[in-house]
Amino acid sequence: MSGKTNIRAHIILVTKYRKKILVDDLLSIFRIITEETTKRKMEVIAINGENDHIHIMLKLLPTQTISLIVKLIKQLTTYHIWRKYPTLREHYWYKNVLWSNGYFCSTTG
């Protein structure tokens, strides 16, 4: 039996301690997120943000889980930012942390 789905999720990620460090690199973060989600058969409907958080609206398949998507996005963007701007790690005591522990997600219809 085949079904039709239209699953959309609004995800908000916040930098750890709300540090305003995404100033210079928002567009490359958006590009990475768009490329990686497209590879995994997701569609970025909209993406936006400011220097301490980002908003992502995704269209998902029923087999994809929000928690794994958020984990993937956090890992890829953290790796990219630390590699491109190693001095930013000073803000986090050289820990491998860019994003806060949680996230916000709301499904939309």
Side-chain angles (χ1 to χ4, degrees):
M1 193 157 84
S2 82
K4 304 293 180 194
T5 61
N6 185 14
I7 303 169
R8 296 170 187 241
H10 175 213
I11 300 169
I12 301 174
L13 303 177
V14 178
T15 58
K16 188 78 167 179
Y17 311 121
R18 282 274 189 180
K19 296 234 183 220
K20 299 178 184 312
I21 64 170
L22 301 177
V23 177
D24 297 328
D25 216 30
L26 271 177
L27 292 178
S28 66
I29 289 174
F30 296 164
R31 181 184 46 78
I32 289 167
I33 292 170
T34 303
E35 289 172 0
E36 293 299 325
T37 53
T38 302
K39 286 180 192 176
R40 290 160 176 84
K41 298 185 170 103
M42 292 175 250
E43 179 186 344
V44 173
I45 297 167
I47 190 167
N48 201 343
E50 294 184 21
N51 51 12
D52 64 349
H53 70 279
I54 59 173
H55 295 261
I56 310 161
M57 177 70 79
L58 290 172
K59 184 175 179 183
L60 312 170
L61 296 174
T63 56
Q64 298 166 327
T65 62
I66 300 295
S67 60
L68 290 177
I69 293 164
V70 169
K71 180 180 176 182
L72 170 77
I73 291 170
K74 284 182 174 185
Q75 286 174 340
L76 292 171
T77 54
T78 299
Y79 175 78
H80 170 75
I81 294 293
W82 288 166
R83 194 182 73 199
K84 194 167 182 178
Y85 303 103
T87 57
L88 286 179
R89 292 182 96 171
E90 296 170 6
H91 293 279
Y92 299 105
W93 303 284
Y94 295 97
K95 293 182 181 178
N96 195 24
V97 176
L98 174 63
W99 302 104
S100 66
N101 289 335
Y103 60 92
F104 171 83
C105 180
S106 174
T107 55
T108 63

